[in-house]
PDB file of all heavy atoms in Angstrom:
ATOM      1  N   PRO A  76      97.899 114.382  82.148  1.00  0.00           N
ATOM      2  CA  PRO A  76      97.825 115.354  83.242  1.00  0.00           C
ATOM      3  C   PRO A  76      97.462 114.734  84.592  1.00  0.00           C
ATOM      4  O   PRO A  76      97.793 115.270  85.645  1.00  0.00           O
ATOM      5  CB  PRO A  76      96.746 116.342  82.775  1.00  0.00           C
ATOM      6  CG  PRO A  76      95.982 115.605  81.716  1.00  0.00           C
ATOM      7  CD  PRO A  76      96.941 114.676  81.073  1.00  0.00           C
ATOM      8  N   GLY A  77      96.783 113.571  84.549  1.00  0.00           N
ATOM      9  CA  GLY A  77      96.374 112.944  85.803  1.00  0.00           C
ATOM     10  C   GLY A  77      97.388 111.978  86.364  1.00  0.00           C
ATOM     11  O   GLY A  77      97.197 111.421  87.451  1.00  0.00           O
ATOM     12  N   VAL A  78      98.491 111.733  85.634  1.00  0.00           N
ATOM     13  CA  VAL A  78      99.478 110.737  86.054  1.00  0.00           C
ATOM     14  C   VAL A  78     100.707 111.419  86.646  1.00  0.00           C
ATOM     15  O   VAL A  78     101.351 112.235  85.986  1.00  0.00           O
ATOM     16  CB  VAL A  78      99.909 109.843  84.866  1.00  0.00           C
ATOM     17  CG1 VAL A  78     100.941 108.820  85.319  1.00  0.00           C
ATOM     18  CG2 VAL A  78      98.707 109.145  84.249  1.00  0.00           C
ATOM     19  N   PHE A  79     101.019 111.076  87.894  1.00  0.00           N
ATOM     20  CA  PHE A  79     102.255 111.571  88.517  1.00  0.00           C
ATOM     21  C   PHE A  79     103.341 110.558  88.213  1.00  0.00           C
ATOM     22  O   PHE A  79     103.302 109.417  88.674  1.00  0.00           O
ATOM     23  CB  PHE A  79     102.075 111.725  90.030  1.00  0.00           C
ATOM     24  CG  PHE A  79     103.314 112.228  90.735  1.00  0.00           C
ATOM     25  CD1 PHE A  79     103.493 113.573  90.989  1.00  0.00           C
ATOM     26  CD2 PHE A  79     104.312 111.338  91.151  1.00  0.00           C
ATOM     27  CE1 PHE A  79     104.637 114.039  91.643  1.00  0.00           C
ATOM     28  CE2 PHE A  79     105.448 111.782  91.794  1.00  0.00           C
ATOM     29  CZ  PHE A  79     105.614 113.137  92.040  1.00  0.00           C
ATOM     30  N   PHE A  80     104.333 110.971  87.416  1.00  0.00           N
ATOM     31  CA  PHE A  80     105.464 110.098  87.100  1.00  0.00           C
ATOM     32  C   PHE A  80     106.747 110.895  87.244  1.00  0.00           C
ATOM     33  O   PHE A  80     106.891 111.972  86.661  1.00  0.00           O
ATOM     34  CB  PHE A  80     105.362 109.539  85.677  1.00  0.00           C
ATOM     35  CG  PHE A  80     106.558 108.698  85.292  1.00  0.00           C
ATOM     36  CD1 PHE A  80     106.654 107.383  85.711  1.00  0.00           C
ATOM     37  CD2 PHE A  80     107.597 109.237  84.539  1.00  0.00           C
ATOM     38  CE1 PHE A  80     107.762 106.605  85.385  1.00  0.00           C
ATOM     39  CE2 PHE A  80     108.714 108.471  84.204  1.00  0.00           C
ATOM     40  CZ  PHE A  80     108.796 107.152  84.626  1.00  0.00           C
ATOM     41  N   ALA A  81     107.690 110.358  88.032  1.00  0.00           N
ATOM     42  CA  ALA A  81     108.960 111.042  88.275  1.00  0.00           C
ATOM     43  C   ALA A  81     110.117 110.129  87.903  1.00  0.00           C
ATOM     44  O   ALA A  81     110.103 108.936  88.196  1.00  0.00           O
ATOM     45  CB  ALA A  81     109.065 111.450  89.741  1.00  0.00           C
ATOM     46  N   SER A  82     111.113 110.704  87.242  1.00  0.00           N
ATOM     47  CA  SER A  82     112.339 109.958  86.956  1.00  0.00           C
ATOM     48  C   SER A  82     113.134 109.800  88.251  1.00  0.00           C
ATOM     49  O   SER A  82     113.159 110.705  89.090  1.00  0.00           O
ATOM     50  CB  SER A  82     113.195 110.709  85.928  1.00  0.00           C
ATOM     51  OG  SER A  82     112.492 110.870  84.718  1.00  0.00           O
ATOM     52  N   GLN A  83     113.784 108.657  88.391  1.00  0.00           N
ATOM     53  CA  GLN A  83     114.571 108.408  89.592  1.00  0.00           C
ATOM     54  C   GLN A  83     115.960 109.012  89.431  1.00  0.00           C
ATOM     55  O   GLN A  83     116.719 108.611  88.565  1.00  0.00           O
ATOM     56  CB  GLN A  83     114.679 106.907  89.859  1.00  0.00           C
ATOM     57  CG  GLN A  83     115.410 106.606  91.161  1.00  0.00           C
ATOM     58  CD  GLN A  83     115.464 105.126  91.441  1.00  0.00           C
ATOM     59  OE1 GLN A  83     114.501 104.408  91.232  1.00  0.00           O
ATOM     60  NE2 GLN A  83     116.611 104.657  91.909  1.00  0.00           N
ATOM     61  N   MET A  84     116.287 109.971  90.287  1.00  0.00           N
ATOM     62  CA  MET A  84     117.560 110.676  90.194  1.00  0.00           C
ATOM     63  C   MET A  84     118.567 110.223  91.255  1.00  0.00           C
ATOM     64  O   MET A  84     119.758 110.405  91.088  1.00  0.00           O
ATOM     65  CB  MET A  84     117.332 112.193  90.334  1.00  0.00           C
ATOM     66  CG  MET A  84     116.254 112.740  89.411  1.00  0.00           C
ATOM     67  SD  MET A  84     116.586 112.427  87.665  1.00  0.00           S
ATOM     68  CE  MET A  84     117.651 113.802  87.260  1.00  0.00           C
ATOM     69  N   ILE A  85     118.077 109.664  92.368  1.00  0.00           N
ATOM     70  CA  ILE A  85     118.943 109.201  93.446  1.00  0.00           C
ATOM     71  C   ILE A  85     118.698 107.711  93.643  1.00  0.00           C
ATOM     72  O   ILE A  85     117.566 107.296  93.902  1.00  0.00           O
ATOM     73  CB  ILE A  85     118.634 109.957  94.761  1.00  0.00           C
ATOM     74  CG1 ILE A  85     118.897 111.450  94.587  1.00  0.00           C
ATOM     75  CG2 ILE A  85     119.461 109.396  95.906  1.00  0.00           C
ATOM     76  CD1 ILE A  85     120.342 111.822  94.396  1.00  0.00           C
ATOM     77  N   PRO A  86     119.726 106.865  93.524  1.00  0.00           N
ATOM     78  CA  PRO A  86     119.532 105.409  93.612  1.00  0.00           C
ATOM     79  C   PRO A  86     118.816 104.946  94.869  1.00  0.00           C
ATOM     80  O   PRO A  86     117.880 104.156  94.805  1.00  0.00           O
ATOM     81  CB  PRO A  86     120.959 104.857  93.552  1.00  0.00           C
ATOM     82  CG  PRO A  86     121.749 105.903  92.843  1.00  0.00           C
ATOM     83  CD  PRO A  86     121.140 107.209  93.233  1.00  0.00           C
ATOM     84  N   ASN A  87     119.226 105.418  96.039  1.00  0.00           N
ATOM     85  CA  ASN A  87     118.667 104.905  97.293  1.00  0.00           C
ATOM     86  C   ASN A  87     117.271 105.425  97.609  1.00  0.00           C
ATOM     87  O   ASN A  87     116.678 105.020  98.608  1.00  0.00           O
ATOM     88  CB  ASN A  87     119.605 105.243  98.456  1.00  0.00           C
ATOM     89  CG  ASN A  87     120.895 104.458  98.398  1.00  0.00           C
ATOM     90  OD1 ASN A  87     120.973 103.441  97.711  1.00  0.00           O
ATOM     91  ND2 ASN A  87     121.912 104.930  99.098  1.00  0.00           N
ATOM     92  N   ALA A  88     116.747 106.307  96.776  1.00  0.00           N
ATOM     93  CA  ALA A  88     115.426 106.886  97.041  1.00  0.00           C
ATOM     94  C   ALA A  88     114.299 106.090  96.406  1.00  0.00           C
ATOM     95  O   ALA A  88     113.137 106.479  96.505  1.00  0.00           O
ATOM     96  CB  ALA A  88     115.379 108.329  96.540  1.00  0.00           C
ATOM     97  N   CYS A  89     114.610 104.951  95.765  1.00  0.00           N
ATOM     98  CA  CYS A  89     113.576 104.293  94.953  1.00  0.00           C
ATOM     99  C   CYS A  89     112.427 103.748  95.794  1.00  0.00           C
ATOM    100  O   CYS A  89     111.291 103.684  95.317  1.00  0.00           O
ATOM    101  CB  CYS A  89     114.172 103.206  94.071  1.00  0.00           C
ATOM    102  SG  CYS A  89     114.934 101.832  94.944  1.00  0.00           S
ATOM    103  N   ALA A  90     112.667 103.376  97.059  1.00  0.00           N
ATOM    104  CA  ALA A  90     111.575 102.889  97.904  1.00  0.00           C
ATOM    105  C   ALA A  90     110.559 103.996  98.158  1.00  0.00           C
ATOM    106  O   ALA A  90     109.350 103.816  97.963  1.00  0.00           O
ATOM    107  CB  ALA A  90     112.136 102.370  99.227  1.00  0.00           C
ATOM    108  N   THR A  91     111.055 105.151  98.585  1.00  0.00           N
ATOM    109  CA  THR A  91     110.163 106.284  98.841  1.00  0.00           C
ATOM    110  C   THR A  91     109.504 106.753  97.554  1.00  0.00           C
ATOM    111  O   THR A  91     108.323 107.130  97.541  1.00  0.00           O
ATOM    112  CB  THR A  91     110.948 107.437  99.505  1.00  0.00           C
ATOM    113  OG1 THR A  91     111.378 106.998 100.802  1.00  0.00           O
ATOM    114  CG2 THR A  91     110.100 108.680  99.649  1.00  0.00           C
ATOM    115  N   GLN A  92     110.229 106.712  96.435  1.00  0.00           N
ATOM    116  CA  GLN A  92     109.654 107.136  95.162  1.00  0.00           C
ATOM    117  C   GLN A  92     108.527 106.199  94.734  1.00  0.00           C
ATOM    118  O   GLN A  92     107.515 106.650  94.198  1.00  0.00           O
ATOM    119  CB  GLN A  92     110.729 107.204  94.081  1.00  0.00           C
ATOM    120  CG  GLN A  92     110.210 107.762  92.770  1.00  0.00           C
ATOM    121  CD  GLN A  92     111.309 108.393  91.929  1.00  0.00           C
ATOM    122  OE1 GLN A  92     112.301 108.888  92.463  1.00  0.00           O
ATOM    123  NE2 GLN A  92     111.138 108.388  90.626  1.00  0.00           N
ATOM    124  N   ALA A  93     108.681 104.906  94.970  1.00  0.00           N
ATOM    125  CA  ALA A  93     107.620 103.948  94.631  1.00  0.00           C
ATOM    126  C   ALA A  93     106.371 104.214  95.465  1.00  0.00           C
ATOM    127  O   ALA A  93     105.243 104.120  94.971  1.00  0.00           O
ATOM    128  CB  ALA A  93     108.119 102.521  94.845  1.00  0.00           C
ATOM    129  N   ILE A  94     106.572 104.551  96.739  1.00  0.00           N
ATOM    130  CA  ILE A  94     105.440 104.889  97.605  1.00  0.00           C
ATOM    131  C   ILE A  94     104.740 106.139  97.090  1.00  0.00           C
ATOM    132  O   ILE A  94     103.506 106.199  96.993  1.00  0.00           O
ATOM    133  CB  ILE A  94     105.917 105.088  99.056  1.00  0.00           C
ATOM    134  CG1 ILE A  94     106.420 103.760  99.636  1.00  0.00           C
ATOM    135  CG2 ILE A  94     104.807 105.660  99.922  1.00  0.00           C
ATOM    136  CD1 ILE A  94     107.146 103.903 100.959  1.00  0.00           C
ATOM    137  N   LEU A  95     105.532 107.162  96.746  1.00  0.00           N
ATOM    138  CA  LEU A  95     104.957 108.403  96.220  1.00  0.00           C
ATOM    139  C   LEU A  95     104.178 108.146  94.936  1.00  0.00           C
ATOM    140  O   LEU A  95     103.145 108.783  94.688  1.00  0.00           O
ATOM    141  CB  LEU A  95     106.057 109.428  95.950  1.00  0.00           C
ATOM    142  CG  LEU A  95     106.712 110.086  97.162  1.00  0.00           C
ATOM    143  CD1 LEU A  95     107.847 110.999  96.720  1.00  0.00           C
ATOM    144  CD2 LEU A  95     105.689 110.879  97.973  1.00  0.00           C
TER     145      LEU A  95
END
Side-chain angles (χ1 to χ4, degrees):
V78 180
F79 180 94
F80 177 80
S82 299
Q83 184 178 319
M84 309 302 275
I85 298 292
N87 290 342
C89 63
T91 294
Q92 185 155 332
I94 293 169
L95 287 176

